[in-house]
Amino acid sequence: MPTYEYRGLVLHLPELDQEHWGYFEAARRHQLVVKRCLDCNLLRWEPGPSCPFCASLRWEWAPVSGKGEIYSYQIVYHSVHPGFRDWVPYPIVLVELDEQRGIPTPGYGLRIAANLVDAQFRPEREERVAIGARVQVVFMDLPNGLTLPQFALSGEPPRGRVWRHAG
Amino acid sequence: MPHPLRDRYCIVGVGETEYSQHSGRSTRAMAVEAVKKAMDDAGLTPKDVDGLLSYHMGDSTPSTAVASDLGIRPNFFMDVSGGGSSTEALIGLAMGAIEVGMCHTVAIYRSMNGYSQVRIGGTGVRAAAPLSGSALLTRPYGLISPLQQFAFAFTRHMMEYGTTNEQLAMVKVVHSRHASANPKAFKKNPVSVEDVLNSRWIVKPVAHLLDCCLETDNATCIIVTSAERARTLRQRPIYIMAVQGRGTRPFPDNPWAEAPITRIGGTYIAPRIFELAGVGPEDVDITGCYDAFTFTVVLQFEAYGFCKVGEGGHYVSSGIIALGGKRPNNTSGGHLCEGYTHGMNMVIENVRQLRGQADDYCPGWREGRHTYHYGPGGCRQVKDPEIAMNMGWGTPGYGSALILRR
Ligand SMILES: [Zn+2]
């Protein structure tokens, strides 16, 4: 059972964890995947064992583009975990992927939380974090063999409203 | 036709231990004290109580231990996993257990060394535990504390509705003034908007330090029985008009899936609970709203229809929720200032308010002689409230609600 250490966190990833094993396997290959229902064909996040739209138990991992926009964000100034204290203030972004926006219901989306990082995988500067900013997935390879999907600003022009807190 | 269970059950006893950050004793000792005090409050002895319910997240003490210590012989007991939406849910379970004849009088308690031992915020023991399952998708990103789990919804609320940090701060300002008239409150100092805005950021842009609730050590207890039995006991019965435990929005454990993510469990609970109770938000005199963070209060007032969606920031800063206002909220100071018992202390406060027994600094409060002058260190008894509502928070995904009347 693979166990990884990251910033003082111990991460267990047993092979029987079919909710997450394939996700991190794909990340190691620098591919972002979500689950696709083999009955209604809809994608889902997070990767549970059943389709939340039709309750089918049949699924496969499906690659997605890793492109999207920031749907919401937070800048962590106080880290409750000591492992992140050298990172504060660090952004966590909720990214809405371009795939399946508004399907099957208005407002539904595939939304993934991760850090917004710069080219050196350091926390992106706070003033560059904004709702509506375009992002793309990047893969942070850790020395212990674990790869964490992260997001970085893509430089694409925003498609809609851009908002950040005035403070 | 009224719902058949409306007003059939009552809260007859409440009790709590001191709110501190250094209890210096076990959750078992505190649980037993809280249950004992609630029995004394109701005028019940251990042989009159035959049901025990409790909930835990982090630390707790099992109900069989409490029964053993107090000589209670339970006909029904259960300890459930859970946090801030559990108080109302267990009140409903107690009613059900009595209704089907499993027992007749139920003590519901929560005991936690929430500061000195197991802190909800994710430090200490909780931070060191190995991660697996869906935690692998959040915690490696430093997304660990409850505030962080809620922050995406809060940030979107600011973006969509223009809710400001000044408006959020007013929740703390109001609750701190309430706490200043509460002898039990752990934090009694009234604070200003500037105090809140000048306290350090915890998660920007949604919470400064003073937007976050306390972590305290304490135990609390509520006793539920039938209305028939309640009318023979020491206190004025407080009738349960309606309860809804743990209603959810779609995808309750994936609250980011569906937009608007600012829509919380309460949105779905609201029509049910008001229909069961036969009243609407406008009929409620006092509220007890889960104030883990100032923002949770804003979202719940919107969800339950006390104001329009998007106008929660205005509602909490309008004076309505303050003592002396139209519908005071958390007159004890709530989680932000009185102490944190995972939802239960605000129900206890509303029971005492409906009885006219809010303890404060009025010289004659024990005899019910209140001044109704709501300054710091003064009165906090609302004048003759008839209907109270509690809103329990689990996450943005789920919550609970309770409507009481005297
Ligand atoms: Zn399906």
Side-chain angles (χ1 to χ4, degrees):
Chain A
M1 174 166 73
T3 295
Y4 305 94
E5 190 277 342
Y6 175 59
R7 294 186 169 272
L9 299 167
V10 179
L11 286 64
H12 280 307
L13 189 56
E15 283 180 57
L16 61 74
D17 181 359
Q18 295 197 340
E19 281 69 74
H20 305 95
W21 176 266
Y23 177 76
F24 286 102
E25 278 285 292
R28 201 189 315 269
R29 302 189 308 267
H30 287 201
Q31 188 173 55
L32 186 67
V33 297
V34 299
K35 278 191 175 173
R36 184 209 313 275
C37 174
L38 289 175
D39 283 298
C40 74
N41 215 35
L42 288 170
L43 306 174
R44 63 178 182 262
W45 181 266
E46 55 180 271
S50 169
C51 174
F53 309 109
C54 77
S56 168
L57 304 182
R58 304 193 316 123
W59 54 266
E60 66 178 5
W61 290 108
V64 288
S65 67
K67 293 178 183 299
E69 66 182 46
I70 297 176
Y71 185 81
S72 191
Y73 72 85
Q74 54 183 296
I75 313 289
V76 180
Y77 270 68
H78 173 73
S79 170
V80 297
H81 194 283
F84 287 86
R85 296 220 170 118
D86 67 324
W87 248 35
V88 294
Y90 63 90
I92 311 174
V93 289
L94 184 60
V95 171
E96 182 165 276
L97 299 176
D98 288 344
E99 287 85 3
Q100 203 170 281
R101 298 178 74 172
I103 301 169
T105 55
Y108 184 87
L110 297 168
R111 304 201 187 98
I112 300 182
N115 300 119
L116 189 70
V117 295
D118 65 15
Q120 286 75 47
F121 292 100
R122 295 286 305 168
E124 185 55 271
R125 295 202 314 278
E126 182 181 332
E127 60 271 23
R128 289 166 58 83
V129 184
I131 289 176
R134 296 286 301 167
V135 296
Q136 64 188 29
V137 72
V138 293
F139 293 93
M140 188 166 85
D141 295 318
L142 303 176
N144 59 16
L146 182 72
T147 297
L148 281 180
Q150 297 278 24
F151 285 90
L153 295 168
S154 68
E156 287 175 85
R159 296 176 178 180
R161 182 179 171 196
V162 174
W163 181 92
R164 71 166 64 81
H165 187 256
Chain B
M1 198 181 85
H3 189 273
L5 293 186
R6 188 188 304 169
D7 299 341
R8 269 179 58 99
Y9 292 92
C10 293
I11 295 176
V12 295
V14 293
E16 72 272 80
T17 65
E18 178 192 9
Y19 296 103
S20 79
Q21 291 185 333
H22 47 77
S23 78
R25 57 192 180 138
S26 64
T27 54
R28 176 169 165 174
M30 293 195 297
V32 166
E33 181 189 325
V35 174
K36 169 75 165 139
K37 284 181 164 170
M39 290 191 299
D40 290 348
D41 178 57
L44 293 166
T45 67
K47 71 174 176 0
D48 302 317
V49 175
D50 68 342
L52 282 164
L53 292 171
S54 185
Y55 62 99
H56 60 89
M57 176 186 280
D59 62 353
S60 180
T61 211
S63 50
T64 47
V66 173
S68 297
D69 291 341
L70 287 167
I72 290 171
R73 220 291 288 166
N75 287 313
F76 176 69
F77 67 93
M78 187 168 282
D79 303 280
V80 304
S81 168
S85 62
S86 299
T87 304
E88 293 82 1
L90 291 193
I91 289 169
L93 275 186
M95 292 164 58
I98 300 168
E99 183 71 21
V100 300
M102 293 197 289
C103 56
H104 59 71
T105 302
V106 181
I108 303 163
Y109 68 89
R110 171 71 168 126
S111 185
M112 52 197 294
N113 278 319
Y115 184 84
S116 67
Q117 286 184 356
V118 184
R119 297 180 65 168
I120 298 288
T123 50
V125 175
R126 283 165 63 87
L131 304 178
S132 60
S134 55
L136 295 169
L137 303 174
T138 52
R139 294 190 176 218
Y141 301 104
L143 202 172
I144 292 171
S145 71
L147 172 59
Q148 291 172 260
Q149 287 157 11
F150 307 155
F152 291 138
F154 296 168
T155 304
R156 278 296 291 201
H157 198 277
M158 286 185 149
M159 176 259 195
E160 289 173 10
Y161 304 113
T163 308
T164 67
N165 296 107
E166 287 77 5
Q167 290 172 326
L168 299 173
M170 277 304 293
V171 176
K172 174 72 175 188
V173 170
V174 168
H175 291 190
S176 74
R177 283 186 193 146
H178 295 174
S180 74
N182 176 6
K184 300 186 304 292
F186 183 70
K187 286 277 187 198
K188 295 190 184 67
N189 59 310
V191 303
S192 66
V193 169
E194 291 67 36
D195 292 334
V196 178
L197 299 184
N198 290 335
S199 65
R200 64 191 169 93
W201 282 114
I202 302 299
V203 173
K204 195 175 176 180
V206 297
H208 297 82
L209 177 65
L210 293 185
D211 288 300
C212 303
C213 71
L214 302 171
E215 294 175 287
T216 56
D217 300 346
N218 39 246
T220 42
C221 179
I222 290 168
I223 299 179
V224 174
T225 195
S226 66
E228 296 79 44
R229 194 175 288 254
R231 288 191 277 267
T232 69
L233 299 179
R234 177 174 291 161
Q235 304 287 353
R236 170 204 277 262
I238 301 304
Y239 292 87
I240 299 165
M241 299 182 77
V243 64
Q244 174 69 45
R246 293 192 181 163
T248 76
R249 48 170 286 166
F251 317 113
D253 276 348
N254 184 5
W256 305 329
E258 201 201 41
I261 61 173
T262 54
R263 187 187 293 149
I264 65 172
T267 307
Y268 300 87
I269 297 170
R272 288 179 55 85
I273 185 107
F274 287 121
E275 187 190 346
L276 292 172
V279 297
E282 66 283 357
D283 300 309
V284 174
D285 299 310
I286 54 173
T287 53
C289 192
Y290 200 91
D291 54 348
F293 308 100
T294 52
F295 229 130
T296 59
V297 174
V298 170
L299 263 53
Q300 287 177 106
F301 280 135
E302 292 182 2
Y304 286 97
F306 289 99
C307 58
K308 292 200 179 88
V309 171
E311 293 181 2
H314 173 73
Y315 183 81
V316 298
S317 51
S318 66
I320 290 175
I321 69 166
L323 278 165
K326 181 177 158 198
R327 192 178 298 113
N329 182 60
N330 289 4
T331 48
S332 65
H335 289 144
L336 286 167
C337 302
E338 183 187 47
Y340 186 83
T341 334
H342 242 157
M344 198 173 276
N345 46 321
M346 281 90 74
V347 177
I348 291 176
E349 170 69 5
N350 280 354
V351 168
R352 292 213 178 98
Q353 284 281 352
L354 292 174
R355 290 175 180 173
Q357 291 178 349
D359 50 336
D360 54 28
Y361 296 99
C362 293
W365 70 267
R366 281 178 197 281
E367 293 75 42
R369 292 198 306 277
H370 289 274
T371 63
Y372 307 110
H373 294 147
Y374 303 122
C379 188
R380 69 188 181 89
Q381 175 66 51
V382 177
K383 200 163 178 37
D384 300 327
E386 289 185 8
I387 296 179
M389 180 160 179
N390 279 91
M391 292 155 265
W393 177 274
T395 70
Y398 53 94
S400 295
L402 170 72
I403 300 179
L404 301 171
R405 74 164 179 85
R406 67 178 187 190

